[in-house]
Amino acid sequence: MRTASGRRRASDVRIVVLTGAGVSAESGLATFRDAGGLWEGHDPMVVATPEAFAEDPDLVQRFYDERRQALASVRPNAAHEALARLEAALGRDLYLVTQNIDDLHERAGSTRVHHMHGRLRAAWCTACDERVEWTQGLVGRPPCPGCGSASLRPDVVWFGEVPYDMDAIEEALWACDLFVSIGTSGLVYPAAAFVHHAIGHGKRTLELNLDASDGSSDFHESRRGPATALVPAWVD
Ligand code: BV8
């Protein structure tokens, strides 16, 4: 169905693509399960929580400062670039949702990226609720540009917090013809359940991943290999 202007509404999405850390792995950004899934000896699943932030804010801020700083030294890879070409071809018929908080999809040319777990290059003031673009460090409690308080935290969704865009994602999964999951272990919810929602709505499902994931057997088709090979081959 099309609107009067002839443009497909967001709810008329044809393809939903979900990406995880694996799509950025070949750009040099570690996945959560790489190197035994540890950062400075800490489990990211533990550090990425409100409890860890309450207990040791500088440790958590440093975890994100180091990842934010690493963005300057990495570049989008062929998988990000292929997805940007797909958006150029499909326009609003593509709904790209990512679990990643890096900016590599945008730097590859994607213009509509739904960061369900937030973004490294954004900070959130818990005093005035303002969200601001942020590229510096947050250790040392810099003042909020809006209210001046020292209440800035990374604008990312921690374990136990509610992901962004859930209603729009559910609507896109309902409206699409195809759900494609790229570079994710399928261990973190609610993203890990998107394939079940898609199947529940009668959609085709495809997984492009280096290894078998927790949900591989749920997909109609699951292809194995690096994202920089599988994604361009699928897109082009
Ligand atoms: C919520 C931001 C309620 C921060 C992240 C028990 C059962 C079920 C669920 C739960 C449970 N107990 C608690 C929960 C809920 C919890 C959860 O799922 N826990 C897990 C550990 C069991 N979830 C939450 O708390 C979420 N909130 O549930 O709120 C709610 C829900 C809906 C509506 C209203 C309320 C919030 C979760 C968000 C946490 N924040 N990130 C940050 O980045 O620091 S999660 C973080 O970890 C990532 O964003 C990502 O989602 C996840 C890591 O997963 P992947 O991206 O898949 O990365 P991983 O390393 O695991 O895998 C990489 C994959 O790539 C591998 O498969 C590998 O083979 C592949 N790969 C590697 N290289 C390549 C490759 N593929 C292709 N090419 C390559 N080169």
Side-chain angles (χ1 to χ4, degrees):
M1 186 189 325
R2 291 178 179 275
T3 58
S5 66
R7 294 186 60 76
R8 293 176 79 102
R9 285 203 311 269
S11 60
D12 294 347
V13 162
R14 276 181 48 214
I15 299 178
V16 173
V17 171
L18 168 71
T19 61
V23 82
S24 299
E26 290 161 272
S27 292
L29 290 182
T31 68
F32 279 70
R33 261 148 269 287
D34 277 355
L38 289 184
W39 170 82
E40 287 190 356
H42 298 279
D43 177 352
M45 302 290 197
V46 172
V47 174
T49 61
E51 294 76 16
F53 187 64
E55 188 179 323
D56 189 343
D58 280 352
L59 174 84
V60 176
Q61 297 284 28
R62 199 167 63 246
F63 176 57
Y64 290 98
D65 284 0
E66 291 191 6
R67 290 169 67 191
R68 190 177 305 107
Q69 204 170 2
L71 291 181
S73 58
V74 297
R75 295 187 37 72
N77 63 51
H80 299 107
E81 289 160 356
L83 290 172
R85 290 198 298 277
L86 186 63
E87 179 194 293
L90 292 185
R92 290 189 175 279
D93 292 346
L94 172 67
Y95 189 94
L96 174 59
V97 50
T98 185
Q99 300 172 92
N100 301 338
I101 60 178
D102 64 58
D103 61 349
L104 294 177
H105 282 303
E106 289 88 347
R107 286 164 57 192
S110 292
T111 62
R112 275 189 301 281
V113 184
H114 301 85
H115 287 272
M116 65 180 290
H117 291 160
R119 294 184 303 122
L120 264 177
R121 287 190 154 170
W124 170 26
C125 178
T126 53
C128 71
D129 203 28
E130 189 163 332
R131 283 168 169 80
V132 292
E133 292 304 299
W134 199 266
T135 56
Q136 309 305 313
L138 285 169
V139 168
R141 303 169 68 80
C144 165
C147 70
S149 73
S151 307
L152 290 172
R153 57 162 275 189
D155 184 14
V156 300
V157 176
W158 285 329
F159 289 98
E161 296 185 326
V162 179
Y164 289 126
D165 301 327
M166 285 308 296
D167 291 343
I169 294 167
E170 185 52 42
E171 185 184 333
L173 287 169
W174 178 82
C176 75
D177 304 319
L178 172 65
F179 171 67
V180 185
S181 174
I182 303 171
T184 179
S185 59
L187 291 172
V188 173
Y189 288 80
F194 291 171
V195 61
H196 308 136
H197 292 215
I199 289 171
H201 296 317
K203 315 302 180 182
R204 292 291 300 167
T205 57
L206 168 65
E207 180 184 53
L208 306 177
N209 209 53
L210 188 65
D211 312 306
S213 73
D214 209 49
S216 290
S217 58
D218 297 324
F219 287 85
H220 292 99
E221 184 186 355
S222 185
R223 298 177 192 168
R224 287 285 164 277
T228 54
L230 292 185
V231 181
W234 170 66
V235 166
D236 298 334

